[in-house]
Amino acid sequence: SGGVTEVGTIAGHTYEAIIDNCNVDSVIELYSANNVGGVTGNGGTISNSSYKGTISQLDDSFVHIGGISGTNNDVISKCEFSGTLNGKSYTGGIVGYGANVKDSVNKGAVNGETAGGISGRVYAAGTDAEIKNPQYSIENNVNEGKVTATALAGGIIGWMGNDESDIAISVINCENKGQVICDEAVAGIIGKLSVERSGNIKIENCVNNTDISGKCKTSGIICDVTGAVLHQEGNVTVSGCKNTGNIVSEGQYSAGVVTYLTIIGDEVDFALTLDNCSNTGAVASTQYAGGILGFSNIGFNAEISAESMDFSDT
């Protein structure tokens, strides 16, 4: 506490470390920290490890909190969180801020402002040369726990985006089975996706298998997609994704696959492709409800290509 930056039960900060088969049951209470995890605060190639204790943020500081790692640009694989995580900014069952998680499971309770069952925040920033893993991948993960947020909530990822970067981001073969709750934007897979440049973002073969209900934007797969701004490009492909749960919003927006798409700015070249997606759940809201897409907003002066929206085999 008291301004400590990185906190973990095994290690606060790691550099090119390998952590394997570490199983932790501890209590972490934090003030004024930044990166906090059940195993590591920042970094580490972590595999076959678990955490089943309690992590609690006791102040209102900005912090990334993860059940396994707080912030991590290495690879986390075959890990499990089954504890309780109470945060007030970005929280994730496996990682608070990180983009390389594979074959992992969240069975715990995750609470925060922006929360995800696997990752609270996935953000691609910088050039390929500056990033250790230029191919970001959230792959073969399952959320079975309860995810609760005040701003953005996703069964897999709370918020995902990129800056002026060409780094590819993939979310592949992930499944949500847990309850996801949020007053603002809630989805079975990704709460919000912000695309600032091309980045080649792909969401493939992801499934939501539970009912999702919310007070505002509610979705089976992705709740909110914000398109590129200011002369930039954006490419998002959602393929082979399936929603089977009932999607119910007390507010205006709901959909089985993508609830809200907005494209703003000048001279925007943005492409959203929904390929081989399906919804079998009931969809309800006060306005703007769709089996596949709920609402699309092309902003002022936005120029988009003729192929900007493609619903193939969906």
Side-chain angles (χ1 to χ4, degrees):
S1 65
V4 175
T5 300
E6 296 162 338
V7 178
T9 305
I10 301 297
H13 180 89
T14 68
Y15 180 72
E16 295 186 354
I18 295 174
I19 298 172
D20 182 63
N21 198 28
C22 291
N23 302 293
V24 179
D25 185 353
S26 71
V27 174
I28 300 175
E29 295 181 340
L30 60 108
Y31 294 89
S32 302
N34 188 16
N35 303 308
V36 179
V39 177
T40 69
N42 191 342
T45 298
I46 308 172
S47 58
N48 303 303
S49 298
S50 67
Y51 184 90
K52 62 178 181 179
T54 301
I55 306 173
S56 299
Q57 181 181 357
L58 304 180
D59 67 349
D60 293 323
S61 61
F62 179 86
V63 59
H64 297 108
I65 307 176
I68 301 298
S69 187
T71 291
N72 201 307
N73 285 322
D74 297 308
V75 177
I76 301 174
S77 63
K78 298 180 180 179
C79 290
E80 179 177 304
F81 175 71
S82 58
T84 300
L85 195 163
N86 296 310
K88 297 180 182 178
S89 47
Y90 290 100
T91 57
I94 301 298
V95 62
Y97 176 16
N100 289 291
V101 183
K102 301 179 180 180
D103 304 308
S104 296
V105 179
N106 172 53
K107 296 182 179 179
V110 180
N111 304 286
E113 180 180 16
T114 295
I118 300 300
S119 179
R121 183 186 186 200
V122 173
Y123 184 51
T127 65
D128 289 3
E130 296 170 335
I131 302 296
K132 182 181 293 186
N133 294 300
Q135 171 66 56
Y136 285 176
S137 181
I138 305 288
E139 188 171 352
N140 299 327
N141 303 295
V142 177
N143 174 59
E144 298 178 0
K146 182 179 180 180
V147 178
T148 305
T150 57
L152 299 171
I156 302 300
I157 298 168
W159 181 86
M160 186 168 85
N162 65 344
D163 67 354
E164 296 183 7
S165 166
D166 292 328
I167 298 170
I169 309 176
S170 299
V171 182
I172 302 172
N173 295 332
C174 291
E175 181 180 5
N176 177 55
K177 299 179 181 179
Q179 186 179 12
V180 188
I181 300 171
C182 185
D183 289 344
E184 296 296 326
V186 57
I189 303 299
I190 301 172
K192 183 170 184 176
L193 172 58
S194 299
V195 187
E196 294 294 332
R197 202 177 171 192
S198 57
N200 193 25
I201 295 173
K202 298 186 294 183
I203 297 90
E204 299 180 351
N205 301 325
C206 292
V207 179
N208 174 60
N209 276 325
T210 190
D211 295 345
I212 304 289
S213 60
K215 294 183 179 180
C216 192
K217 299 173 185 174
T218 308
S219 181
I221 304 298
I222 307 172
C223 190
D224 194 332
V225 179
T226 300
V229 298
L230 203 59
H231 310 285
Q232 300 290 351
E233 298 179 351
N235 273 306
V236 177
T237 301
V238 183
S239 62
C241 292
K242 182 179 181 180
N243 174 64
T244 66
N246 295 327
I247 309 301
V248 179
S249 172
E250 296 178 20
Q252 291 187 333
Y253 307 99
S254 63
V257 179
V258 175
T259 292
Y260 189 93
L261 167 67
T262 181
I263 302 172
I264 56 177
D266 296 338
E267 298 179 19
V268 174
D269 183 7
F270 180 87
L272 171 66
T273 300
L274 301 176
D275 178 31
N276 195 28
C277 296
S278 67
N279 169 59
T280 57
V283 179
S285 64
T286 60
Q287 195 174 9
Y288 309 120
I292 302 297
L293 175 66
F295 181 87
S296 176
N297 177 33
I298 308 302
F300 179 72
N301 283 340
E303 297 178 8
I304 60 175
S305 68
E307 296 178 344
S308 60
M309 296 181 66
D310 182 4
F311 297 79
S312 55
D313 297 323
T314 291

